[in-house]
Amino acid sequence: MDQTVPENLIMVKKESGGIAVITINRPKSLNSLTRAMMVDLAKAFKDMDSDESVQVVIFTGSGRSFCSGVDLTAAESVFKGDVKDPETDPVVQMERLRKPIIGAINGFAITAGFELALACDILVASRGAKFMDTHARFGIFPSWGLSQKLSRIIGANKAREVSLTSLPLTADVAGKLGFVNHVVEEGESFKKAREIAEAIIKNEQGMVLRIKSVINDGLKLDLGHALALEKERAHAYYSGMTKEQFKKMQEFIAGRGSKKPSSKL
């Protein structure tokens, strides 16, 4: 079942197996974003959270670019629009989404596109993919998290170099720095993203949501408080379980234990 917003600039495809695919579809403009596209993208991610048929979201771009950033020909409508409204902010809605988001990155992920990639939980990039922060080049102040998130992933010195020079961070280097999970050959990023999504779907979905949440919430804290958060949520989870739920857990573990382990990611 395909659901698309007007002009198909943001496409949403829901598959029967629990995977939804959100695609930025403006390839002639290298998937640059207008204000209307941002609003539609935010709505697409918000809708995923309440849709019980969706367990994992794959996020990608059509053509030879993931997202080349904001359409600067419409910069005023973008930057002077209601940018503080979380309902129309795609990054806020991605961060609020309880389900895993896997980014399949081909070609360029520039500035706003870089920030959208940073909002994914897992990243797969084609070998030719490039991540660029051009905020400093064009006099744009970052507002989707790049100035804070990148340094926490690749280290402050490398993040300063990427942002202050506006030079590209290649997929291979991003992989070595731990920003990209998998670097694959051209045209293979979506296939690998699907493999990861299918592996996630095989697990107990309630726990998938809880583990994503405790990891992401813990990253906002120092280690001591993050460990306390894990302990607190674990205690609340097990304290709330009934004997029937423990029995189902044991049956699930026994059933999975009888199967051959799947191949490594």
Side-chain angles (χ1 to χ4, degrees):
M1 176 180 176
D2 289 324
Q3 297 179 349
T4 56
V5 298
E7 298 183 27
N8 299 326
L9 298 181
I10 303 296
M11 299 197 306
V12 179
K13 181 180 179 182
K14 298 176 187 177
E15 303 181 356
S16 59
I19 297 173
V21 182
I22 296 178
T23 306
I24 304 173
N25 184 41
R26 199 185 179 206
K28 291 181 180 179
S29 298
L30 297 179
N31 296 327
S32 61
L33 299 171
T34 63
R35 177 65 183 157
M37 290 171 68
M38 292 180 188
V39 173
D40 291 335
L41 190 58
K43 183 180 185 303
F45 277 105
K46 183 177 182 179
D47 290 346
M48 293 300 100
D49 196 66
S50 58
D51 191 327
E52 294 183 0
S53 70
V54 175
Q55 296 172 314
V56 180
V57 176
I58 297 175
F59 184 26
T60 192
S62 61
R64 59 192 181 93
S65 177
F66 170 66
C67 174
S68 62
V70 168
D71 184 345
L72 294 180
T73 64
E76 185 171 358
S77 68
V78 171
F79 297 118
K80 286 197 173 183
D82 194 5
V83 294
K84 290 185 178 181
D85 181 5
E87 295 300 307
T88 60
D89 186 323
V91 170
V92 169
Q93 294 305 322
M94 290 175 73
E95 291 171 343
R96 288 181 176 179
L97 181 59
R98 294 169 299 154
K99 300 160 188 179
I101 303 171
I102 304 170
I105 313 297
N106 289 316
F108 292 105
I110 302 175
T111 312
F114 200 160
E115 291 173 304
L116 290 173
L118 279 164
C120 295
D121 298 299
I122 297 169
L123 284 177
V124 179
S126 62
R127 197 164 300 281
K130 291 181 173 63
F131 302 86
M132 292 181 67
D133 179 7
T134 61
H135 284 106
R137 180 173 296 175
F138 295 110
I140 301 168
F141 200 95
S143 60
W144 279 359
L146 203 156
S147 69
Q148 303 303 310
K149 291 180 180 178
L150 188 63
S151 61
R152 287 164 168 79
I153 298 171
I154 69 172
N157 283 9
K158 190 62 179 178
R160 279 191 284 262
E161 180 185 355
V162 169
S163 294
L164 299 181
T165 65
S166 298
L167 294 175
L169 178 67
T170 65
D172 283 329
V173 173
K176 292 173 183 176
L177 292 171
F179 172 46
V180 168
N181 297 72
H182 299 275
V183 178
V184 297
E185 297 305 318
E186 297 299 323
E188 295 293 312
S189 63
F190 189 83
K191 178 182 176 182
K192 183 63 180 180
R194 181 183 291 282
E195 289 177 7
I196 297 169
E198 290 171 348
I200 292 171
I201 288 170
K202 290 177 182 177
N203 292 327
E204 202 284 312
Q205 289 305 298
M207 189 53 66
V208 166
L209 301 186
R210 288 181 175 90
I211 290 175
K212 169 179 168 171
S213 176
V214 76
I215 290 173
N216 288 357
D217 290 345
L219 285 170
K220 302 169 187 174
L221 307 171
D222 62 69
L223 180 59
H225 287 95
L227 290 171
L229 176 70
E230 181 192 67
K231 189 74 71 177
E232 176 185 328
R233 292 191 185 179
H235 178 73
Y237 175 73
Y238 290 120
S239 295
M241 286 183 69
T242 63
K243 288 185 178 180
E244 183 63 25
Q245 286 174 314
F246 273 111
K247 182 179 178 181
K248 287 183 178 179
M249 178 193 288
Q250 291 169 327
E251 290 172 351
F252 182 79
I253 293 170
R256 293 303 299 270
S258 64
K259 298 177 181 179
K260 293 181 179 180
S262 59
S263 60
K264 294 182 180 179
L265 289 175

